[in-house]
Amino acid sequence: MPAGIVSASLFLAACGGGDTGDGSTGEGGDKASGGAPAADVLDKASGVTTVAFWHAMDGTNAEALTKLVTDFNAQNTGKIEVKATYAGKYDDAITKYKAAIQSKSTPDVIQIYDIGTRFMIDAKQTIPMQSFIERDKLDVTDLQPNITGYYSIDDKLNSMPFNTSMPVLYYNKSLFKAAGLDPEKPPQDLAAIRTAAEKLSKKGGGPADYGFGAAIYGWLLEQFIATDGKEYCDQGNGRDGKATKVLFDQPEAVEVVKWWQQMVKDGYAANTGRDTKAAQAAFKSGQLAITLESTGQLGGYSKAAKEGGWELGAANYPHIKAGTEGGPIIGGASLWINGENHEDANKEAAWRFVKFLADPKSQAQWHIGTGYFPISKGALEEPADVTYRKANPLFDVAVQQLENTKLSKATQGCLLGVMPQARKASEDGLEAALNGTDPQQAMTKAAESLSAQIKQYNDSVG
């Protein structure tokens, strides 16, 4: 992934006060982005209040989002009109947002990817969702706690989760059968994947070119660290204070890298590089028997299996060692309501739009239209969603994995101002190891390469 978030010193100097990131406004916070406005401000407003909404969805996802926006506008004719604008892919959207801070032209609502969370808090432009929730005494027990947990600090919700994905293990059941393996017993730890890969790989006389293969993607390493119950960065994964260093050179992470290196060296795993599409294509074509990917790929993999005449399997994301109880971290993006330089009527209209998108019916529609995980527990009970999941039973693997994951600082994920750079650095380390560098040396060098960037970021935001 591109670096995306650069040093904040150039633009955060222009940012006012605002929320502290823990859901409160902090000293002097009401003079900046402040808290939620009075609940009746929109009722007193005349004419139509326009909500500028920037998002990062394209293709099929954009079509599903446009339908939701159209439905909301129809329900609020004459009062609120949401105008959705594609701001580019995730990195482009946050870059555009940074420029908008400087020109004081931020949208009313913006969709920002998960690893931009620390920056969004530090930019102090937004109103925490918790402020609206507490004002309205809103019951949010319908929201999935393992999803809201990522975007919360001290149980205070900063942004509203929207499009959410989880990583799972995918495998080719047909290749398992051909290799004499039980297709109903997918491997769930590194040693088990190795054992299966030895029988699946051409190197061992198996039916696949390689038993295992996945993209060199930092997100996957983050998941292994979380499923082992360990934290990715210090300061309680950046939730007890600003993180000062990454921990992906810790023994557990290095163990994963060492395992991966040996699998490639022995011919049981393919090195497909950093291009996620290359790994996806290799799995779809049957070159790989086991892979790791987001739930967002379920639709594409299901289609490939149907067209290719093979059976797809899905299982929980694997642990480093058997018996560990940790779970994976959610991915995706959330919605932020801007308060700085925005009228109260726009803030309230933005909140009503965000509430609409989080509603069980909307989330069921979003889930069916995109495959993203619904943030609403009630969405899974909507008749249309029940029908959808009956037709796509493998999706329930992700449902159960999410519900069985115990929320902890490890599974909440790391909040780091330079998280995109951290992800790229971990990929540098993993790639170096797969190309022959000592795993510990590779990951330590990668972790140390971030020290100056983390310090620069933290110094720039105070």
Side-chain angles (χ1 to χ4, degrees):
M1 174 175 286
I5 297 179
V6 295
S7 169
S9 58
L10 295 178
F11 42 82
L12 283 188
C15 300
D19 72 86
T20 60
D22 60 0
S24 63
T25 54
E27 185 178 354
D30 288 328
K31 296 176 182 178
S33 62
D40 62 351
V41 292
L42 194 58
D43 300 326
K44 296 177 179 177
S46 59
V48 178
T49 299
T50 300
V51 174
F53 170 40
W54 290 2
H55 66 86
M57 300 284 93
D58 58 10
T60 302
N61 295 339
E63 292 173 11
L65 182 57
T66 298
K67 177 68 167 62
L68 286 169
V69 170
T70 300
D71 290 349
F72 176 82
N73 286 340
Q75 291 178 22
N76 293 273
T77 301
K79 200 66 180 175
I80 306 171
E81 182 182 6
V82 174
K83 292 189 175 180
T85 301
Y86 176 62
K89 294 187 181 296
Y90 287 141
D91 285 326
D92 298 326
I94 200 166
T95 298
K96 185 176 179 180
Y97 178 71
K98 290 170 182 176
I101 292 175
Q102 287 292 81
S103 60
K104 298 182 179 179
S105 59
T106 59
D108 298 297
V109 182
I110 186 166
Q111 178 193 32
I112 294 290
Y113 60 177
D114 52 347
I115 55 177
T117 298
R118 180 78 258 175
F119 165 75
M120 291 299 291
I121 291 171
D122 292 335
K124 299 178 181 177
Q125 296 289 302
T126 60
I127 303 172
M129 294 297 158
Q130 198 67 33
S131 183
F132 289 98
I133 291 168
E134 291 177 356
R135 184 201 69 184
D136 294 349
K137 296 181 174 55
L138 188 68
D139 182 2
V140 291
T141 54
D142 176 59
L143 300 179
Q144 291 278 7
N146 282 336
I147 297 178
T148 57
Y150 185 99
Y151 302 102
S152 301
I153 297 178
D154 295 332
D155 297 322
K156 303 289 186 179
L157 188 63
N158 291 288
S159 58
M160 184 65 75
F162 181 51
N163 54 305
T164 302
S165 59
M166 292 191 84
V168 294
L169 179 145
Y170 291 102
Y171 65 106
N172 187 317
K173 285 188 171 184
S174 300
L175 290 176
F176 266 59
K177 291 176 184 175
L181 296 169
D182 187 343
E184 304 308 319
K185 292 184 179 179
Q188 286 289 267
D189 59 77
L190 298 185
I193 294 176
R194 165 85 191 201
T195 299
E198 289 174 355
K199 294 181 179 180
L200 289 159
S201 300
K202 184 180 293 183
K203 176 78 178 288
D209 288 348
Y210 298 94
F212 173 79
I216 297 175
Y217 185 23
W219 189 53
L220 301 179
L221 185 60
E222 292 160 36
Q223 306 302 334
F224 277 115
I225 293 171
T227 58
D228 203 59
K230 303 298 188 301
E231 294 168 9
Y232 183 88
C233 57
D234 68 350
Q235 297 295 329
N237 247 353
R239 295 171 185 278
D240 295 333
K242 285 192 175 61
T244 63
K245 62 180 179 180
V246 291
L247 307 173
F248 58 64
D249 58 341
Q250 61 185 289
E252 292 79 11
V254 173
E255 184 177 345
V256 176
V257 175
K258 188 178 295 184
W259 168 86
W260 203 325
Q261 180 194 64
Q262 196 63 46
M263 287 276 285
V264 169
K265 184 179 179 181
D266 294 344
Y268 300 127
N271 182 357
T272 57
R274 299 193 190 202
D275 184 2
T276 55
K277 289 185 179 179
Q280 291 165 8
F283 180 69
K284 289 177 181 178
S285 67
Q287 292 175 271
L288 310 177
I290 304 167
T291 194
L292 303 172
E293 250 295 358
S294 162
T295 49
Q297 287 303 313
L298 179 56
Y301 286 166
S302 296
K303 182 180 178 182
K306 185 176 181 181
E307 293 176 350
W310 54 275
E311 187 178 1
L312 176 68
N316 286 353
Y317 197 86
H319 292 86
I320 297 174
K321 293 180 180 177
T324 316
E325 295 184 356
I329 308 163
I330 60 104
S334 65
L335 305 175
W336 298 78
I337 294 177
N338 284 290
E340 186 79 350
N341 303 308
H342 290 260
E343 298 295 326
D344 282 353
N346 295 82
K347 299 172 189 176
E348 179 61 21
W351 167 238
R352 294 189 188 184
F353 175 54
V354 168
K355 274 200 303 182
F356 168 82
L357 292 179
D359 178 81
K361 282 187 175 4
S362 296
Q363 279 295 301
Q365 182 178 323
W366 177 244
H367 173 207
I368 294 166
T370 66
Y372 278 116
F373 199 97
I375 68 168
S376 159
K377 289 182 279 190
L380 297 171
E381 304 305 319
E382 290 289 322
D385 202 280
V386 171
T387 300
Y388 169 79
R389 286 186 294 114
K390 281 183 179 177
N392 299 274
L394 290 182
F395 191 82
D396 277 340
V397 170
V399 173
Q400 291 161 10
Q401 178 176 247
L402 181 76
E403 293 176 346
N404 292 336
T405 295
K406 182 180 179 182
L407 189 62
S408 68
K409 284 175 180 172
T411 59
Q412 276 181 289
C414 167
L415 292 185
L416 184 68
V418 294
M419 191 63 192
Q421 292 97 313
R423 185 168 286 176
K424 180 183 180 300
S426 71
E427 291 165 3
D428 291 341
L430 176 56
E431 186 171 52
L434 295 191
N435 289 329
T437 303
D438 174 74
Q440 183 67 67
Q441 180 183 337
M443 300 312 293
T444 297
K445 180 181 179 182
E448 290 176 348
S449 73
L450 289 163
S451 297
Q453 295 177 70
I454 294 173
K455 185 178 187 305
Q456 182 185 18
Y457 177 89
N458 288 346
D459 288 348
S460 72
V461 297

